[in-house]
Amino acid sequence: MSKPDHPGVIAPPPLIYLAFLLAGFGIGRLIGEPSFGLDVGVRRGLAFALVIGGLLLDGIAAGTFRRLGTPPEPWKTTTALATGGLYRYSRNPIYVGFAVTFVGFALAMDSPLALAMLLPCLIVIDRFVIAREESYLAAKFGAEYQAYKGKVRRWL
């Protein structure tokens, strides 16, 4: 039996981020967490900027995959190695975009506990998504991926 040609991530990454965000928000509401204490207009403006910024990062990074003819979804077969555009600065700009969007939504929901859930979320993404993706890419692209990995940071 042949091994599937995809990284085998534990769940779609957007759902992982969403689950942690909603868990933090829900627990915060159950325990009556305090607010951020920011002026509503400032908080909403910052939240809006972060959400839009994160979504733009995601769109630009996913566009790089589309131009290469390879799917951005990590549960599908990768056909090309993305090393240009945002991928010159981060091996995972989509996950950086998701994290920025996460922060924006936590601010919009006025939930410090949701914001605090970003750290455990990133640990799960790092260990159970990125580690599998990197192992898959190393096996699939060999020396080309190792050279890229040696030049570009994982996050920023």
Side-chain angles (χ1 to χ4, degrees), residues 21-37 105-107 109-117:
L21 180 69
L22 294 178
F25 178 73
I27 293 167
R29 291 303 172 253
L30 283 174
I31 65 170
E33 73 178 327
S35 72
F36 283 111
F105 277 118
L107 283 172
M109 296 184 299
D110 202 16
S111 178
L113 189 53
L115 181 60
M117 291 299 285

Side-chain angles (χ1 to χ4, degrees), residues 13 25 37 42 64 79 85 98 103 120-121 124 128 146 152-154:
F25 178 73
V42 170
T64 300
T79 58
F98 287 162
V103 172
C121 177
V124 168
F128 298 103
Q146 292 303 332
V152 178
R153 293 175 187 244
R154 179 177 277 176

Side-chain angles (χ1 to χ4, degrees), residues 98-147:
F98 287 162
V100 171
T101 302
F102 186 112
V103 172
F105 277 118
L107 283 172
M109 296 184 299
D110 202 16
S111 178
L113 189 53
L115 181 60
M117 291 299 285
L118 181 58
L119 181 60
C121 177
L122 293 177
I123 291 169
V124 168
I125 291 293
D126 187 67
R127 300 291 187 262
F128 298 103
V129 176
I130 293 173
R132 291 175 187 212
E133 289 177 340
E134 290 195 336
S135 177
Y136 168 75
L137 293 171
K140 183 154 186 134
F141 296 104
E144 180 184 8
Y145 179 71
Q146 292 303 332

